[in-house]
Tab-separated table of all heavy atoms in Angstrom:
chain	number	residue	atom	x	y	z
A	24	GLY	N	4.089	-6.864	33.506
A	24	GLY	CA	4.573	-6.971	32.117
A	24	GLY	C	3.551	-7.527	31.187
A	24	GLY	O	3.377	-7.022	30.061
A	25	ARG	N	2.791	-8.579	31.614
A	25	ARG	CA	1.796	-9.176	30.725
A	25	ARG	C	0.664	-8.189	30.360
A	25	ARG	O	0.260	-8.093	29.227
A	25	ARG	CB	1.197	-10.420	31.411
A	25	ARG	CG	0.299	-11.229	30.484
A	25	ARG	CD	-0.226	-12.433	31.233
A	25	ARG	NE	0.855	-13.319	31.597
A	25	ARG	CZ	1.316	-14.289	30.799
A	25	ARG	NH1	0.807	-14.426	29.607
A	25	ARG	NH2	2.267	-15.083	31.232
A	26	GLN	N	0.251	-7.433	31.386
A	26	GLN	CA	-0.799	-6.454	31.155
A	26	GLN	C	-0.342	-5.369	30.168
A	26	GLN	O	-1.100	-4.941	29.289
A	26	GLN	CB	-1.184	-5.783	32.502
A	26	GLN	CG	-2.342	-4.816	32.351
A	26	GLN	CD	-2.745	-4.226	33.703
A	26	GLN	OE1	-2.206	-4.616	34.727
A	26	GLN	NE2	-3.617	-3.246	33.695
A	27	ILE	N	0.914	-4.922	30.326
A	27	ILE	CA	1.461	-3.902	29.408
A	27	ILE	C	1.522	-4.429	27.987
A	27	ILE	O	1.189	-3.734	27.037
A	27	ILE	CB	2.866	-3.471	29.883
A	27	ILE	CG1	2.754	-2.726	31.224
A	27	ILE	CG2	3.522	-2.528	28.847
A	27	ILE	CD1	4.093	-2.489	31.872
A	28	LEU	N	1.953	-5.702	27.844
A	28	LEU	CA	2.007	-6.294	26.520
A	28	LEU	C	0.631	-6.339	25.867
A	28	LEU	O	0.482	-6.124	24.654
A	28	LEU	CB	2.594	-7.706	26.613
A	28	LEU	CG	4.095	-7.787	26.895
A	28	LEU	CD1	4.519	-9.248	27.075
A	28	LEU	CD2	4.887	-7.130	25.750
A	29	TYR	N	-0.395	-6.642	26.682
A	29	TYR	CA	-1.740	-6.671	26.147
A	29	TYR	C	-2.147	-5.296	25.623
A	29	TYR	O	-2.742	-5.135	24.570
A	29	TYR	CB	-2.750	-7.147	27.214
A	29	TYR	CG	-2.703	-8.619	27.512
A	29	TYR	CD1	-3.074	-9.100	28.759
A	29	TYR	CD2	-2.265	-9.514	26.551
A	29	TYR	CE1	-3.018	-10.447	29.036
A	29	TYR	CE2	-2.204	-10.882	26.823
A	29	TYR	CZ	-2.610	-11.347	28.068
A	29	TYR	OH	-2.530	-12.666	28.361
A	30	ILE	N	-1.814	-4.255	26.450
A	30	ILE	CA	-2.173	-2.867	26.048
A	30	ILE	C	-1.461	-2.481	24.771
A	30	ILE	O	-2.072	-1.956	23.828
A	30	ILE	CB	-1.816	-1.886	27.190
A	30	ILE	CG1	-2.711	-2.187	28.408
A	30	ILE	CG2	-1.974	-0.462	26.734
A	30	ILE	CD1	-2.312	-1.430	29.654
A	31	LEU	N	-0.120	-2.751	24.750
A	31	LEU	CA	0.652	-2.410	23.573
A	31	LEU	C	0.164	-3.181	22.338
A	31	LEU	O	0.115	-2.682	21.228
A	31	LEU	CB	2.131	-2.666	23.798
A	31	LEU	CG	2.808	-1.748	24.841
A	31	LEU	CD1	4.262	-2.201	25.069
A	31	LEU	CD2	2.752	-0.308	24.401
A	32	GLY	N	-0.183	-4.444	22.557
A	32	GLY	CA	-0.698	-5.265	21.491
A	32	GLY	C	-1.976	-4.729	20.934
A	32	GLY	O	-2.216	-4.694	19.717
A	33	GLY	N	-2.878	-4.267	21.848
A	33	GLY	CA	-4.143	-3.663	21.416
A	33	GLY	C	-3.933	-2.408	20.609
A	33	GLY	O	-4.621	-2.205	19.585
A	34	ILE	N	-2.985	-1.574	21.052
A	34	ILE	CA	-2.673	-0.337	20.309
A	34	ILE	C	-2.169	-0.674	18.911
A	34	ILE	O	-2.519	-0.063	17.921
A	34	ILE	CB	-1.641	0.502	21.078
A	34	ILE	CG1	-2.263	1.020	22.369
A	34	ILE	CG2	-1.145	1.670	20.203
A	34	ILE	CD1	-1.272	1.712	23.289
A	35	LEU	N	-1.296	-1.690	18.841
A	35	LEU	CA	-0.743	-2.122	17.542
A	35	LEU	C	-1.851	-2.619	16.622
A	35	LEU	O	-1.868	-2.277	15.421
A	35	LEU	CB	0.301	-3.210	17.771
A	35	LEU	CG	1.018	-3.709	16.514
A	35	LEU	CD1	1.757	-2.570	15.814
A	35	LEU	CD2	1.982	-4.822	16.871
A	36	VAL	N	-2.766	-3.383	17.140
A	36	VAL	CA	-3.878	-3.907	16.334
A	36	VAL	C	-4.727	-2.773	15.800
A	36	VAL	O	-5.110	-2.759	14.622
A	36	VAL	CB	-4.760	-4.871	17.169
A	36	VAL	CG1	-6.046	-5.207	16.421
A	36	VAL	CG2	-3.985	-6.149	17.441
A	37	LEU	N	-5.016	-1.786	16.678
A	37	LEU	CA	-5.820	-0.620	16.239
A	37	LEU	C	-5.096	0.137	15.144
A	37	LEU	O	-5.726	0.595	14.197
A	37	LEU	CB	-6.078	0.285	17.450
A	37	LEU	CG	-7.106	-0.228	18.451
A	37	LEU	CD1	-7.180	0.751	19.638
A	37	LEU	CD2	-8.485	-0.392	17.832
A	38	ALA	N	-3.779	0.278	15.280
A	38	ALA	CA	-2.994	1.010	14.250
A	38	ALA	C	-3.047	0.264	12.921
A	38	ALA	O	-3.206	0.854	11.860
A	38	ALA	CB	-1.568	1.160	14.719
A	39	ILE	N	-2.935	-1.086	12.980
A	39	ILE	CA	-2.978	-1.868	11.769
A	39	ILE	C	-4.357	-1.778	11.126
A	39	ILE	O	-4.485	-1.595	9.901
A	39	ILE	CB	-2.634	-3.355	12.075
A	39	ILE	CG1	-1.136	-3.448	12.476
A	39	ILE	CG2	-2.886	-4.219	10.845
A	39	ILE	CD1	-0.745	-4.821	12.992
A	40	LEU	N	-5.401	-1.885	11.948
A	40	LEU	CA	-6.759	-1.781	11.427
A	40	LEU	C	-7.029	-0.430	10.795
A	40	LEU	O	-7.649	-0.299	9.737
A	40	LEU	CB	-7.776	-2.053	12.534
A	40	LEU	CG	-7.952	-3.500	12.986
A	40	LEU	CD1	-8.884	-3.595	14.156
A	40	LEU	CD2	-8.471	-4.343	11.834
A	41	GLY	N	-6.489	0.643	11.490
A	41	GLY	CA	-6.635	1.988	10.955
A	41	GLY	C	-5.977	2.105	9.592
A	41	GLY	O	-6.546	2.734	8.667
A	42	GLY	N	-4.817	1.524	9.449
A	42	GLY	CA	-4.127	1.572	8.162
A	42	GLY	C	-4.873	0.834	7.075
A	42	GLY	O	-4.961	1.290	5.943
A	43	ILE	N	-5.455	-0.343	7.452
A	43	ILE	CA	-6.233	-1.125	6.480
A	43	ILE	C	-7.474	-0.339	6.040
A	43	ILE	O	-7.789	-0.261	4.833
A	43	ILE	CB	-6.645	-2.458	7.073
A	43	ILE	CG1	-5.398	-3.362	7.279
A	43	ILE	CG2	-7.641	-3.193	6.181
A	43	ILE	CD1	-5.656	-4.608	8.048
A	44	ILE	N	-8.164	0.265	6.988
A	44	ILE	CA	-9.390	1.045	6.684
A	44	ILE	C	-9.059	2.236	5.803
A	44	ILE	O	-9.747	2.521	4.812
A	44	ILE	CB	-10.084	1.530	7.982
A	44	ILE	CG1	-10.658	0.292	8.733
A	44	ILE	CG2	-11.193	2.511	7.673
A	44	ILE	CD1	-11.139	0.591	10.114
A	45	TYR	N	-7.964	2.934	6.137
A	45	TYR	CA	-7.572	4.109	5.333
A	45	TYR	C	-7.215	3.680	3.890
A	45	TYR	O	-7.641	4.316	2.941
A	45	TYR	CB	-6.357	4.779	5.969
A	45	TYR	CG	-5.827	5.935	5.185
A	45	TYR	CD1	-6.468	7.165	5.177
A	45	TYR	CD2	-4.666	5.812	4.408
A	45	TYR	CE1	-5.958	8.245	4.437
A	45	TYR	CE2	-4.174	6.853	3.669
A	45	TYR	CZ	-4.819	8.090	3.695
A	45	TYR	OH	-4.339	9.098	2.944
A	46	SER	N	-6.477	2.574	3.813
A	46	SER	CA	-6.129	2.049	2.470
A	46	SER	C	-7.347	1.688	1.664
A	46	SER	O	-7.461	1.970	0.476
A	46	SER	CB	-5.188	0.837	2.626
A	46	SER	OG	-4.881	0.291	1.364
A	47	TRP	N	-8.328	1.033	2.340
A	47	TRP	CA	-9.584	0.643	1.685
A	47	TRP	C	-10.360	1.864	1.238
A	47	TRP	O	-10.880	1.897	0.101
A	47	TRP	CB	-10.400	-0.176	2.662
A	47	TRP	CG	-11.747	-0.605	2.089
A	47	TRP	CD1	-11.960	-1.621	1.226
A	47	TRP	CD2	-12.993	-0.003	2.339
A	47	TRP	NE1	-13.307	-1.695	0.935
A	47	TRP	CE2	-13.979	-0.703	1.607
A	47	TRP	CE3	-13.402	1.078	3.146
A	47	TRP	CZ2	-15.326	-0.361	1.631
A	47	TRP	CZ3	-14.751	1.436	3.162
A	47	TRP	CH2	-15.687	0.704	2.444
A	48	GLN	N	-10.423	2.891	2.106
A	48	GLN	CA	-11.147	4.111	1.746
A	48	GLN	C	-10.524	4.795	0.530
A	48	GLN	O	-11.231	5.284	-0.344
A	48	GLN	CB	-11.170	5.075	2.940
A	48	GLN	CG	-12.126	4.625	4.051
A	48	GLN	CD	-12.029	5.527	5.278
A	48	GLN	OE1	-11.013	6.169	5.521
A	48	GLN	NE2	-13.120	5.619	6.023
A	49	MET	N	-9.189	4.841	0.510
A	49	MET	CA	-8.501	5.449	-0.620
A	49	MET	C	-8.757	4.683	-1.908
A	49	MET	O	-8.949	5.260	-2.970
A	49	MET	CB	-7.002	5.542	-0.311
A	49	MET	CG	-6.618	6.525	0.799
A	49	MET	SD	-7.192	8.213	0.497
A	49	MET	CE	-6.098	8.656	-0.876
A	50	ARG	N	-8.741	3.353	-1.772
A	50	ARG	CA	-8.987	2.517	-2.954
A	50	ARG	C	-10.410	2.705	-3.436
A	50	ARG	O	-10.699	2.810	-4.634
A	50	ARG	CB	-8.731	1.035	-2.597
A	50	ARG	CG	-8.834	0.115	-3.822
A	50	ARG	CD	-8.295	-1.253	-3.512
A	50	ARG	NE	-9.069	-1.951	-2.515
A	50	ARG	CZ	-8.664	-2.173	-1.263
A	50	ARG	NH1	-7.485	-1.766	-0.854
A	50	ARG	NH2	-9.448	-2.837	-0.417
A	51	GLN	N	-11.381	2.757	-2.466
A	51	GLN	CA	-12.787	2.974	-2.814
A	51	GLN	C	-12.960	4.325	-3.482
A	51	GLN	O	-13.720	4.458	-4.460
A	51	GLN	CB	-13.643	2.895	-1.566
A	51	GLN	CG	-13.853	1.476	-1.043
A	51	GLN	CD	-14.762	0.675	-1.937
A	51	GLN	OE1	-14.298	-0.121	-2.745
A	51	GLN	NE2	-16.051	0.861	-1.822
A	52	ALA	N	-12.282	5.335	-2.953
A	52	ALA	CA	-12.371	6.695	-3.538
A	52	ALA	C	-11.861	6.683	-4.979
A	52	ALA	O	-12.455	7.291	-5.852
A	52	ALA	CB	-11.605	7.684	-2.690
A	53	GLY	N	-10.774	5.977	-5.182
A	53	GLY	CA	-10.206	5.867	-6.551
A	53	GLY	C	-11.153	5.178	-7.500
A	53	GLY	O	-11.382	5.622	-8.621
A	54	GLU	N	-11.780	4.110	-7.011
A	54	GLU	CA	-12.732	3.342	-7.842
A	54	GLU	C	-13.966	4.196	-8.136
A	54	GLU	O	-14.501	4.200	-9.230
A	54	GLU	CB	-13.158	2.060	-7.122
A	54	GLU	CG	-12.065	1.017	-7.030
A	54	GLU	CD	-12.469	-0.173	-6.177
A	54	GLU	OE1	-13.613	-0.190	-5.717
A	54	GLU	OE2	-11.624	-1.082	-5.988
A	55	ALA	N	-14.452	4.905	-7.089
A	55	ALA	CA	-15.649	5.738	-7.275
A	55	ALA	C	-15.391	6.856	-8.246
A	55	ALA	O	-16.221	7.180	-9.095
A	55	ALA	CB	-16.070	6.309	-5.902
A	56	GLN	N	-14.209	7.484	-8.135
A	56	GLN	CA	-13.878	8.568	-9.042
A	56	GLN	C	-13.776	8.065	-10.476
A	56	GLN	O	-14.265	8.746	-11.408
A	56	GLN	CB	-12.518	9.189	-8.615
A	56	GLN	CG	-12.130	10.451	-9.367
A	56	GLN	CD	-13.081	11.591	-9.079
A	56	GLN	OE1	-13.401	11.886	-7.941
A	56	GLN	NE2	-13.567	12.241	-10.106
A	57	ALA	N	-13.192	6.883	-10.666
A	57	ALA	CA	-13.092	6.314	-12.004
A	57	ALA	C	-14.440	5.986	-12.561
A	57	ALA	O	-14.725	6.249	-13.735
A	57	ALA	CB	-12.196	5.054	-11.938
A	58	ALA	N	-15.306	5.417	-11.734
A	58	ALA	CA	-16.668	5.070	-12.181
A	58	ALA	C	-17.467	6.300	-12.550
A	58	ALA	O	-18.203	6.352	-13.539
A	58	ALA	CB	-17.388	4.253	-11.097
A	59	LEU	N	-17.334	7.348	-11.713
A	59	LEU	CA	-18.021	8.596	-12.002
A	59	LEU	C	-17.506	9.238	-13.277
A	59	LEU	O	-18.290	9.741	-14.094
A	59	LEU	CB	-17.848	9.569	-10.809
A	59	LEU	CG	-18.622	10.886	-10.874
A	59	LEU	CD1	-20.144	10.618	-10.885
A	59	LEU	CD2	-18.260	11.801	-9.719
A	60	GLY	N	-16.191	9.176	-13.476
A	60	GLY	CA	-15.615	9.707	-14.689
A	60	GLY	C	-16.088	8.975	-15.933
A	60	GLY	O	-16.376	9.623	-16.957
A	61	LYS	N	-16.225	7.688	-15.836
A	61	LYS	CA	-16.711	6.892	-16.970
A	61	LYS	C	-18.172	7.231	-17.301
A	61	LYS	O	-18.524	7.356	-18.475
A	61	LYS	CB	-16.570	5.412	-16.650
A	61	LYS	CG	-16.903	4.482	-17.846
A	61	LYS	CD	-16.663	3.035	-17.472
A	61	LYS	CE	-17.001	2.123	-18.661
A	61	LYS	NZ	-16.765	0.698	-18.324
A	62	ALA	N	-18.948	7.444	-16.256
A	62	ALA	CA	-20.360	7.823	-16.470
A	62	ALA	C	-20.483	9.203	-17.094
A	62	ALA	O	-21.318	9.437	-17.980
A	62	ALA	CB	-21.133	7.786	-15.135
A	63	ILE	N	-19.604	10.148	-16.647
A	63	ILE	CA	-19.628	11.477	-17.230
A	63	ILE	C	-19.182	11.449	-18.695
A	63	ILE	O	-19.682	12.200	-19.525
A	63	ILE	CB	-18.701	12.420	-16.407
A	63	ILE	CG1	-19.328	12.680	-15.051
A	63	ILE	CG2	-18.449	13.723	-17.137
A	63	ILE	CD1	-18.425	13.444	-14.097
A	64	GLU	N	-18.274	10.545	-19.003
A	64	GLU	CA	-17.833	10.362	-20.402
A	64	GLU	C	-19.018	9.915	-21.276
A	64	GLU	O	-19.169	10.445	-22.426
A	64	GLU	CB	-16.764	9.289	-20.468
A	64	GLU	CG	-16.052	9.158	-21.827
A	64	GLU	CD	-14.919	8.155	-21.753
A	64	GLU	OE1	-13.940	8.386	-21.043
A	64	GLU	OE2	-15.032	7.141	-22.461
A	65	ILE	N	-19.879	9.074	-20.754
A	65	ILE	CA	-21.068	8.683	-21.504
A	65	ILE	C	-22.026	9.870	-21.610
A	65	ILE	O	-22.597	10.130	-22.683
A	65	ILE	CB	-21.795	7.499	-20.769
A	65	ILE	CG1	-20.888	6.272	-20.810
A	65	ILE	CG2	-23.155	7.227	-21.378
A	65	ILE	CD1	-21.428	5.113	-19.950
A	66	ASN	N	-22.170	10.615	-20.512
A	66	ASN	CA	-23.052	11.782	-20.480
A	66	ASN	C	-22.667	12.827	-21.555
A	66	ASN	O	-23.537	13.483	-22.099
A	66	ASN	CB	-23.003	12.403	-19.104
A	66	ASN	CG	-23.997	13.530	-18.913
A	66	ASN	OD1	-25.178	13.271	-18.748
A	66	ASN	ND2	-23.518	14.764	-18.913
A	67	GLU	N	-21.347	12.923	-21.825
A	67	GLU	CA	-20.863	13.941	-22.776
A	67	GLU	C	-20.526	13.352	-24.148
A	67	GLU	O	-19.925	14.033	-24.979
A	67	GLU	CB	-19.656	14.608	-22.181
A	67	GLU	CG	-19.944	15.365	-20.900
A	67	GLU	CD	-18.702	15.954	-20.241
A	67	GLU	OE1	-17.589	15.622	-20.692
A	67	GLU	OE2	-18.853	16.724	-19.279
A	68	ALA	N	-20.904	12.091	-24.375
A	68	ALA	CA	-20.572	11.441	-25.644
A	68	ALA	C	-21.265	12.088	-26.820
A	68	ALA	O	-22.298	12.758	-26.673
A	68	ALA	CB	-20.941	9.957	-25.541
A	69	GLN	N	-20.684	11.863	-27.958
A	69	GLN	CA	-21.234	12.414	-29.224
A	69	GLN	C	-22.496	11.688	-29.619
A	69	GLN	O	-22.641	10.471	-29.412
A	69	GLN	CB	-20.183	12.306	-30.307
A	69	GLN	CG	-20.634	12.888	-31.660
A	69	GLN	CD	-19.577	12.668	-32.743
A	69	GLN	OE1	-18.492	12.161	-32.478
A	69	GLN	NE2	-19.873	13.028	-33.971
């Protein structure tokens, strides 16, 4: 039982970490897109 709990706990930790990384990547993508858009706005300014 203890060994199984360790395995299941490890899987749960990996799932949580995966979710955190995915969320971070999505947030980074949003920030990068916004920053690129702002730079393009300057590039096309009057």
Side-chain angles (χ1 to χ4, degrees):
R25 188 180 296 274
Q26 183 179 354
I27 294 170
L28 287 175
Y29 286 153
I30 294 171
L31 292 176
I34 294 172
L35 181 60
V36 169
L37 288 176
I39 293 172
L40 285 175
I43 292 171
I44 292 171
Y45 176 76
S46 176
W47 178 79
Q48 288 175 332
M49 292 301 291
R50 186 168 64 252
Q51 286 289 99
E54 291 174 2
Q56 188 65 49
L59 185 63
K61 186 175 180 181
I63 291 173
E64 190 176 295
I65 295 171
N66 186 76
E67 298 175 350
Q69 182 183 355

